[in-house]
Amino acid sequence: MSWTVRTVAYTDPDAQTLIRELDDDMTARYGGVDATPVAPDQFAPPVGTFVVAADERGLMAAPGCVRRAPATWS
């Protein structure tokens, strides 16, 4: 079994398919979707990236990474 991983825009149709599946799962588990506002440009270089992973059976995962400000510890 082999995987493919490709960088895509947050708005890419495959990314949106997986995001919708996540929202459906969250609704079933917790009664609603995550209400955290998301701007697609958060997941665009140079501050972020979004990838889609698939195998021969189809889409598997869509992680996004976003650069955040350094944490401050008191």
Side-chain angles (χ1 to χ4, degrees):
M1 179 181 312
S2 64
W3 291 18
T4 59
V5 177
R6 61 189 171 91
T7 303
V8 299
Y10 182 86
T11 56
D12 179 89
D14 287 342
Q16 288 299 299
T17 294
L18 289 165
I19 292 165
R20 275 191 305 277
E21 288 180 9
L22 174 64
D23 285 345
D24 290 347
D25 183 63
M26 292 294 136
T27 298
R29 289 175 190 258
Y30 305 112
V33 298
D34 183 355
T36 305
V38 174
D41 62 341
Q42 288 177 270
F43 298 98
V47 296
T49 192
F50 207 86
V51 299
V52 169
D55 67 10
E56 57 273 354
R57 295 173 294 178
L59 298 171
M60 299 177 2
C65 299
V66 178
R67 180 178 299 154
R68 296 286 185 207
T72 56
W73 304 95
S74 50

